[in-house]
Amino acid sequence: MRLLHPVLNSHNMRALTLALTLVRHGETSYNKEGLLQGQAIDSPLSEVGLQQAEAAGRYLKDVKFTNVFVSDMLRAKQTAEAVVKHNSSCSSLQVVCDPLLKERSFGIAEGRPVEELREMAKAAGQSLPNFTAPKGETQEQVKERVQMFMEKLLQQIEVTQPHDTDCDQEETSETLDAPPVEGKADDGLRGVSVPHHALVVTHGAYMRVAMQHFVKELNCSLPQDCDEAHAFSLSPNTGLCRFVLTMTKKDERLVLSRMHCVFAHRGDHVKQ
């Protein structure tokens, strides 16, 4: 299965709404010291990071989730544990650890200061996000992992969705128009039917590539107060991004009809 580009809507097409909330892990000592972790360094959360994870958990405690996915790296798993602990809707859910959600590999630069990677990129005439260190992962390779994860997510939804109610929501302007954003934890979810809401705990560089893929290739719309510069920036520790996807059935498979970013890199919960 491949998450296809948005298609033109037809009247009376059956639709299914899916929400996706991405959370970056909390702070580690490497984050604090400006050192790259990538995949080779599996560091735990710092004391500040544990506090940030608890704050994210309290912020999301009343938001209903139907699926929980987390990177198999320690810093992400510890963050997910804190969020799930505070959320009653997660008590009966299986937390799925998925290596597709790992951080981007920075090759020989892992364990080194971010500034060293920046200097390597400058010497190569490239911007930092677009530069690939020797033995590192390209943005295209990370994007492939994002696509593979989204495919797995949709496959799971198709398996768990009862056959007689598959895409049983009429696709109308009422179901597609995003609810007002009020700076609340349930933004994008109020007053609409969202039968599936996946919580995904992952990493900063991974989230940046995912956001670029969603916006540039899946035509995901951004909030009015968010431009691409902000959307494609590095999310703060335990930063939150939420997306609402409308899927339609095409040849017995789910196809993306519309995608909207409700908010990007929200971190107010850490300041509260």
Side-chain angles (χ1 to χ4, degrees):
M1 176 186 294
R2 175 66 69 178
L3 186 66
L4 300 180
H5 291 263
V7 297
L8 294 176
N9 299 322
S10 300
H11 291 298
N12 300 323
M13 184 176 287
R14 311 307 288 179
L16 176 69
T17 304
L18 161 68
L20 184 67
T21 297
L22 302 185
V23 183
R24 186 188 177 196
H25 64 80
E27 181 198 80
T28 69
S29 61
Y30 279 76
N31 291 145
K32 183 178 180 179
E33 295 170 14
L35 302 174
L36 290 164
Q37 294 167 100
Q39 297 180 4
I41 299 173
D42 198 14
S43 55
L45 297 181
S46 64
E47 283 301 315
V48 170
L50 291 170
Q51 294 171 10
Q52 292 172 335
E54 288 289 324
R58 291 190 297 269
Y59 182 76
L60 295 170
K61 66 183 179 66
D62 296 322
V63 176
K64 183 179 179 181
F65 296 104
T66 57
N67 305 82
V68 181
F69 299 91
V70 57
S71 158
D72 61 354
M73 306 200 74
L74 180 58
R75 55 194 184 271
K77 290 191 288 186
Q78 287 182 306
T79 303
E81 287 172 4
V83 175
V84 167
K85 177 183 68 175
H86 286 280
N87 192 296
S88 60
S89 72
C90 295
S91 60
S92 61
L93 299 179
Q94 178 185 4
V95 177
V96 179
C97 290
D98 196 328
L100 290 174
L101 296 171
K102 279 181 183 291
E103 177 60 297
R104 180 182 182 181
S105 170
F106 295 104
I108 66 169
E110 293 185 354
R112 300 182 184 181
V114 176
E115 280 306 312
E116 284 194 21
L117 184 64
R118 194 183 307 277
E119 289 301 318
M120 293 169 64
K122 183 179 179 180
Q126 298 180 33
S127 64
L128 181 59
N130 296 324
F131 176 72
T132 302
K135 300 183 180 179
E137 207 175 8
T138 67
Q139 284 204 95
E140 189 66 25
Q141 288 172 319
V142 180
K143 186 183 77 172
E144 281 295 316
R145 289 200 282 118
V146 172
Q147 291 173 324
M148 291 171 66
F149 170 74
M150 293 298 294
E151 291 162 14
K152 287 177 65 174
L153 173 60
L154 293 182
Q155 286 175 339
Q156 181 163 333
I157 287 175
E158 285 191 314
V159 169
T160 57
Q161 184 80 2
H163 291 296
D164 59 349
T165 58
D166 265 0
C167 297
D168 60 355
Q169 183 181 8
E170 195 81 8
E171 186 177 9
T172 65
S173 59
E174 182 178 352
T175 61
L176 290 175
D177 288 344
V181 176
E182 302 173 356
K184 297 181 179 179
D186 63 347
D187 280 340
L189 308 174
R190 296 184 302 275
V192 295
S193 175
V194 184
H196 297 278
H197 185 187
L199 171 67
V200 179
V201 183
T202 181
H203 304 264
Y206 184 95
M207 286 173 63
R208 190 199 324 248
V209 173
M211 178 69 84
Q212 290 176 332
H213 172 57
F214 293 162
V215 172
K216 292 184 176 181
E217 299 181 44
L218 299 183
N219 296 336
C220 176
S221 61
L222 293 173
Q224 290 185 349
D225 60 348
C226 176
D227 58 16
E228 288 192 358
H230 175 69
F232 301 160
S233 64
L234 187 67
S235 196
N237 288 115
T238 65
L240 310 171
C241 298
R242 178 168 297 152
F243 306 88
V244 175
L245 296 76
T246 300
M247 314 300 298
T248 55
K249 263 297 182 73
K250 181 178 177 63
D251 298 328
E252 298 306 312
R253 56 186 299 199
L254 289 174
V255 177
L256 180 63
S257 174
R258 188 174 300 187
M259 187 173 190
H260 172 65
C261 177
V262 180
F263 52 76
H265 313 311
R266 181 176 288 181
D268 294 344
H269 52 282
V270 176
K271 304 172 186 177
Q272 293 175 354

